[in-house]
Amino acid sequence: MEIDYPLLAVGELEAVAARWQALGFAPGPPRRQPWGAVSRAIGLGRQGIALVAMEEAAPEHVLGRLLGEALKRGDGVAALALHSADLAAEIAAIEARGGWSAGLVEGRLAVLPDDDFADLAVLLGRLDAPEPAAHPNGADALGAVLAFAPQPARVAARLATIWGPAAVAEQPGGLLLQAGDVGLSVLDEAALLRRLPGMRLPAGAAR
């Protein structure tokens, strides 16, 4: 299952979109969603990044609840959206490995929360994937997703539940999972800062 896009939950959509624009990206126009959200997409080839803010509470909607809970923890990636070639078969395989689905959005997107690691929620299917765009900085592909975990080994079982045990490999300071063209690295603090020298972890990252 390939990574389509990280779903980045933000409190102030236009302020965050302006920061991405200052970095040379071209966020798409606002789009209102049926679960009380408004989004702006950053299209990168076949993948992208979705910036999403909640305009109203939508506790009765499974995706609205997920985004609302994510924003209580602060701005950050609320879920990874994965492309599914066979949604029913892949949900069945994930459930057989111990995962669970909180329900379907518009009958074509499964929401797969995680009881222990809320930031590792997965959306399986396709829903409003970012359209490719020309960015002034020349970016044209999503090459990798880096995730910080104080103890990467603790999330190995979650990754194996979604992708299968054979997909998860160890790497120095963490785990590597190749999801189509996009590699997902789950790294401890030292390994992450080696990859991104000069970066400061945000407050609350150790959760």
Side-chain angles (χ1 to χ4, degrees), residues 147-199:
F148 166 60
Q151 298 174 295
R154 292 187 61 206
V155 305
R158 169 60 174 176
L159 302 180
T161 296
I162 301 298
W163 278 278
V168 184
E170 293 186 5
Q171 65 174 324
L175 306 169
L176 173 65
L177 188 148
Q178 194 65 34
D181 294 334
V182 181
L184 170 62
S185 288
V186 181
L187 303 171
D188 62 23
E189 182 171 355
L192 182 64
L193 295 181
R194 283 196 299 270
R195 292 281 294 272
L196 302 171
M199 174 184 161

Side-chain angles (χ1 to χ4, degrees), residues 55-189:
E55 285 193 313
E56 57 188 81
E60 74 288 349
H61 196 289
V62 61
L63 191 46
R65 287 197 302 272
L66 186 148
L67 291 170
E69 289 300 315
L71 283 170
K72 290 179 183 178
R73 301 190 295 273
D75 286 15
V77 175
L80 281 178
L82 311 181
H83 176 68
S84 170
D86 187 335
L87 184 59
E90 285 164 349
I91 291 174
I94 290 168
E95 290 179 342
R97 293 192 288 263
W100 64 283
S101 169
L104 295 178
V105 176
E106 297 186 359
R108 57 195 174 99
L109 182 90
V111 179
L112 306 170
D114 185 84
D115 292 327
D116 297 316
F117 303 101
D119 295 327
L120 291 178
V122 164
L123 309 180
L124 183 59
R126 267 191 101 76
L127 185 67
D128 295 337
E131 294 293 329
H135 302 285
N137 61 14
D140 61 3
L142 183 68
V145 175
L146 306 183
F148 166 60
Q151 298 174 295
R154 292 187 61 206
V155 305
R158 169 60 174 176
L159 302 180
T161 296
I162 301 298
W163 278 278
V168 184
E170 293 186 5
Q171 65 174 324
L175 306 169
L176 173 65
L177 188 148
Q178 194 65 34
D181 294 334
V182 181
L184 170 62
S185 288
V186 181
L187 303 171
D188 62 23
E189 182 171 355

